Amino acid sequence: MATSGSGSGSGSEKTALAAFQPPLIDLSKPRFDQSTYGGRVRHFIQVTSPLNLFVTSRGLEDAKNLIRDYKAGLLPANIDPSKLWRAKEICDSTLHPDTGKPILLPFRMACFVPTNLIVAAGMLMPNPSIKSIIFWQWANQSVNVAFNYANANKTTEMDMKETSFAYVSAVTTSCFLAVGLNQLVPRLKSISPGVRNIMGRLVPFVAVATAGTVNVFLMRGKEIREGIDVYDHEGKSVGKSQKAGMSAISQVAISRILTNFPVLTIPPLLLSQWEKTEWSKRYPRAIVPLNLGIISMCLMTALPFAIAAFPQYASVDVKTLEERFWNLKDSKGQPVKTLTYNKGL
């Protein structure tokens, strides 16, 4: 009887061990391969989905707890992987990777489309007045400042004085360019009226792209001056690198230009063709919903493809960074050959 009881107990222990085991899915990394452009696009399509905005604070806590319990080996081995990946998607879309705290909802990348929709439509209004140009450029750069601040690398933060200077500089640059170009285009008499009309419609993109680049570099300039944290393969910060900061900001600036290009060029070009049709004369009020629809599609399509141009977590050879990182060793005494950093979004 004693032997039989011992055997039964051993079987129960094996069953328990089979039900709970160390995690097989690495939730510390994105679901899709980030070394390929296609993998990054699939990742950011999920992270930037506006559907993530409907997740409640309770839903966020449940997602965090699910991931924590899974990493601790407290969940059954046969748990549905889709539940784990959905939990990670919620966390990646809501929490800042450096602080682990929720990003203010209007400035999460999942809210990029609804936040920017009205602003983009305002900037693309035909025949705008100078007051209208200044207002919408101010609104756009205000939104840019908020997104840049909320999604920046938080290992090097700017104080209020630096943020205010960057904000005023970006707004001034965008307004100066937009007003100046709008005044210049009509004076180009050597160009046909049709070409002048198209050029006038493209003015917002030129102004936004230039001012947006200035905005990123000003808002995150401290990351160049002081550097951002770089990490070894064990996840340990080994110091701040100015070169990594410069690379991170440059990549973010390029991604913002890539995002704005289709949004501020395709709608005006399509609408200029629409205005030549009989439909536009028959349904003049259709231009507003049509414009909003085209802008929405451009925003939703362009965003994941643009920010996927570069990995969010870049891995670089130590020789491309400052000399102080060249001879680092890990906890096992092995040379550290690559370091990683969060470039921000």
Side-chain angles (χ1 to χ4, degrees):
M1 292 293 291
T3 303
S4 175
S6 175
S8 176
S10 177
S12 299
E13 290 175 1
K14 289 180 179 179
T15 301
L17 289 174
F20 298 92
Q21 63 180 28
L24 300 176
I25 300 175
D26 186 1
L27 293 178
S28 65
K29 299 178 181 179
R31 182 177 188 176
F32 305 107
D33 183 5
Q34 297 298 284
S35 66
T36 67
Y37 179 66
R40 295 195 296 272
V41 169
R42 295 177 70 184
H43 169 69
F44 283 116
I45 285 176
Q46 292 186 340
V47 171
T48 61
S49 171
L51 295 176
N52 294 324
L53 300 174
F54 295 101
V55 176
T56 63
S57 56
R58 176 61 183 273
L60 175 60
E61 287 302 315
D62 289 343
K64 291 165 62 177
N65 292 336
L66 184 66
I67 293 176
R68 181 198 62 204
D69 291 346
Y70 181 73
K71 289 181 177 179
L74 301 177
L75 298 179
N78 62 351
I79 185 173
D80 186 357
S82 64
K83 291 183 178 180
L84 295 172
W85 287 121
R86 175 53 183 160
K88 178 169 173 55
E89 180 184 330
I90 291 172
C91 291
D92 287 348
S93 176
T94 307
L95 305 177
H96 194 285
D98 290 332
T99 65
K101 297 179 180 179
I103 299 171
L104 191 63
L105 190 144
F107 308 119
R108 296 172 190 170
M109 296 310 291
C111 202
F112 188 90
V113 173
T115 300
N116 281 274
L117 177 59
I118 301 301
V119 175
M123 288 191 295
L124 293 175
M125 289 191 301
N127 305 315
S129 65
I130 291 181
K131 289 182 178 180
S132 175
I133 292 172
I134 292 175
F135 173 79
W136 288 112
Q137 289 295 333
W138 164 79
N140 181 62
Q141 291 308 317
S142 297
V143 169
N144 280 348
V145 166
F147 270 100
N148 288 336
Y149 180 81
N151 296 279
N153 182 299
K154 294 298 184 181
T155 61
T156 303
E157 291 211 59
M158 295 176 65
D159 58 34
M160 187 55 64
K161 181 179 179 180
E162 293 167 321
T163 302
S164 300
F165 173 77
Y167 172 68
V168 172
S169 299
V171 171
T172 303
T173 301
S174 64
C175 292
F176 175 79
L177 283 170
V179 172
L181 290 173
N182 266 287
Q183 296 295 310
L184 174 63
V185 170
R187 298 177 183 176
L188 300 176
K189 302 299 183 182
S190 60
I191 300 176
S192 68
V195 174
R196 280 205 307 270
N197 182 46
I198 293 175
M199 289 180 64
R201 290 178 178 272
L202 295 179
V203 164
F205 168 70
V206 177
V208 167
T210 305
T213 301
V214 172
N215 191 318
V216 172
F217 275 87
L218 288 174
M219 278 298 299
R220 299 180 57 180
K222 198 170 184 178
E223 296 175 31
I224 299 177
R225 297 190 299 273
E226 298 184 7
I228 58 176
D229 283 11
V230 289
Y231 303 86
D232 61 19
H233 63 276
E234 297 175 331
K236 176 185 175 183
S237 174
V238 295
K240 292 183 181 292
S241 168
Q242 289 85 359
K243 290 185 177 180
M246 181 64 183
S247 176
I249 296 173
S250 300
Q251 291 175 4
V252 170
I254 293 172
S255 294
R256 293 297 170 83
I257 293 174
L258 293 175
T259 302
N260 287 321
F261 179 74
V263 176
L264 296 177
T265 56
I266 294 177
L269 293 177
L270 289 180
L271 289 178
S272 67
Q273 297 302 310
W274 160 265
E275 291 171 352
K276 298 177 182 178
T277 67
E278 289 296 324
W279 289 91
S280 65
K281 299 175 183 177
R282 191 177 304 175
Y283 304 103
R285 295 182 180 179
I287 193 169
V288 173
L290 182 63
N291 195 21
L292 289 175
I294 296 174
I295 293 172
S296 297
M297 291 300 297
C298 288
L299 276 170
M300 293 183 68
T301 304
L303 181 60
F305 283 88
I307 60 179
F310 306 98
Q312 182 173 358
Y313 292 93
S315 180
V316 294
D317 190 307
V318 293
K319 295 296 183 180
T320 64
L321 301 178
E322 291 82 354
E323 191 172 349
R324 62 180 178 275
F325 299 110
W326 292 4
N327 299 309
L328 297 174
K329 296 185 184 300
D330 61 19
S331 60
K332 298 180 180 179
Q334 298 298 315
V336 175
K337 297 182 179 180
T338 60
L339 295 171
T340 61
Y341 62 86
N342 171 29
K343 74 173 177 64
L345 294 176

